[in-house]
Amino acid sequence: MPIPSRGPEPDPPQGAVQPPHGDSPQPPPTDEPAPDAATAPATAAPDDANAVALREAEERWRRALADLDNLRKRHVRELQRESAVERARTAVAFLPVIDNLELALSHASADPDAIVEGVRAVRDQAVSVLERLGYPRYAERGVPFDPARHEVVGVVQDPDADPNTVVQVLRPGYGEADRQLRPAAVTVAKRE
């Protein structure tokens, strides 16, 4: 886009060099070599220095973007690897539980009391694995109802229980208040 003219240009000072205009004749070529960066005076045009600085800043910016992208990709790979390792560690912790369940099933035709004891032992082993993973079991009765730890599935009238206390645990909960797998399903005593 051409720059609009601001009116007639004032006469240049005497001896000043005029920039070439579109149809002005160009100066004749000389036999002198063009100055290069090594022989250029230290007072090179400020536009050249600014252009060089701009190119350097753009190059640093591009490198920083590439480094950031590489860091993001490496972080994603590390997260995926850590997730796979943690899943494998959890699965390995449950392998003895599965082995014991298969052992109990292979003895299904044996004494029923022994089967029941074996299944209880497997359940206790599974609860122990969850506890080692940081999710202890809770199934207390008679404690005050806590909405962070309990899920009410029923309300009963119980004259022996204090109002708003857990009367029965239908399904135990696992975990702490801030890291919970699931809340305990409970029946709560209501006020009369």
Side-chain angles (χ1 to χ4, degrees), residues 94-160:
F94 270 101
L95 286 177
V97 175
I98 293 170
D99 293 341
N100 289 334
L101 282 173
E102 288 176 352
L103 186 61
L105 289 173
S106 70
H107 296 298
S109 61
D111 181 25
D113 292 335
I115 299 282
V116 170
E117 283 302 314
V119 171
R120 280 194 184 116
V122 172
R123 184 210 48 209
D124 293 343
Q125 186 179 25
V127 168
S128 173
V129 167
L130 284 173
E131 192 170 325
R132 283 195 319 261
L133 291 173
Y135 298 102
R137 176 183 171 133
Y138 59 92
E140 306 91 9
R141 292 186 189 123
V143 296
F145 170 73
D146 180 2
R149 294 175 46 107
H150 301 116
E151 175 185 354
V152 176
V153 294
V155 178
V156 296
Q157 188 117 13
D158 188 349
D160 297 334

Side-chain angles (χ1 to χ4, degrees), residues 10-24:
D11 290 331
Q14 189 170 8
V17 178
Q18 289 290 338
H21 295 307
D23 34 276
S24 306

